[in-house]
């Protein structure tokens, strides 16, 4: 079964910490051990895991991506969001996290970020939990 987590972004480019939402969904599923797959079904938004403790880290990542793929830099794609597509490919569309003792096994400073590159929009994250047989 796939659970859908709805994410509402409020600006064009934004990293939204969804760790709490994923943990809540994991608790509801009641799985103690396994793998949590998170997949973003969009072409201008992605997902990544990085530092959640210091908010300047996500700001620096967004600014670095803007330097790699600046807005309106003479792209072929005529929709005006070619930079959003490129940034999405750079961060990727999925992450996998191990589950032990009913909890996500993340590093001390890690958070799961939904990465908006063409907001504001209402978006989806697909979540699938694979239970490990004991
Ligand atoms: Zn486009």
């Amino acid at each position: 079964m796939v659970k859908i987590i709805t994410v509402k972004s409020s600006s064009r480019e934004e990293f939204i910490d969804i760790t709490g939402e994923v943990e809540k969904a994991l608790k509801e599923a009641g799985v103690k051990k396994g793998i949590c797959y998170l997949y973003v079904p969009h072409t201008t938004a992605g997902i990544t895991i990085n530092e959640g403790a210091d908010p300047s880290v996500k700001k620096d990542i967004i600014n670095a991506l803007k330097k790699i793929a600046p807005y309106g830099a003479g792209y072929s794609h005529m929709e005006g969001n070619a930079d959003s597509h490129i940034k999405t490919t750079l961060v990727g569309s999925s992450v996998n996290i191990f589950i032990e003792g009913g909890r996500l096994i993340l590093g001390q400073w890690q958070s799961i970020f939904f990465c908006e590159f063409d907001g504001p929009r209402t978006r989806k994250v697909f979540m699938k939990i694979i239970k490990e047989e004991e």
Side-chain angles (χ1 to χ4, degrees):
M1 199 187 84
V2 174
K3 158 137 184 105
I4 298 172
I5 296 171
T6 303
V7 182
K8 282 192 172 91
S9 60
S10 56
S11 55
R12 187 170 190 272
E13 292 173 59
E14 185 182 7
F15 277 24
I16 300 168
D17 190 337
I18 60 165
T19 314
E21 290 244 36
V22 176
E23 278 172 348
K24 197 179 135 215
L26 173 61
K27 210 170 208 178
E28 282 165 12
V31 173
K32 299 286 173 222
K33 206 172 181 184
I35 298 176
C36 173
Y37 289 93
L38 295 170
Y39 180 79
V40 173
H42 301 290
T43 60
T44 56
I47 192 165
T48 194
I49 294 174
N50 213 300
E51 172 158 349
D54 179 0
S56 61
V57 172
K58 65 179 182 184
K59 201 172 146 192
D60 286 339
I61 296 170
I62 290 168
N63 285 335
L65 289 169
K66 281 180 182 172
K67 282 180 194 157
I68 296 167
Y71 176 74
Y75 303 104
S76 301
H77 181 54
M78 293 307 289
E79 221 178 18
N81 62 357
D83 64 304
S84 317
H85 292 290
I86 294 164
K87 288 162 189 162
T88 299
T89 282
L90 290 172
V91 302
S93 298
S94 65
V95 293
N96 311 317
I97 306 139
F98 300 133
I99 302 160
E100 294 285 347
R103 298 190 56 228
L104 297 170
I105 301 303
L106 289 165
Q108 188 182 1
W109 307 111
Q110 285 183 319
S111 288
I112 307 159
F113 289 101
F114 174 85
C115 309
E116 178 62 80
F117 296 116
D118 196 17
R121 293 194 201 205
T122 300
R123 302 287 207 170
K124 288 183 183 123
V125 178
F126 292 160
M127 174 175 177
K128 192 174 189 77
I129 295 169
I130 308 294
K131 187 177 174 181
E132 185 180 325
E133 299 302 326
E134 317 260 329

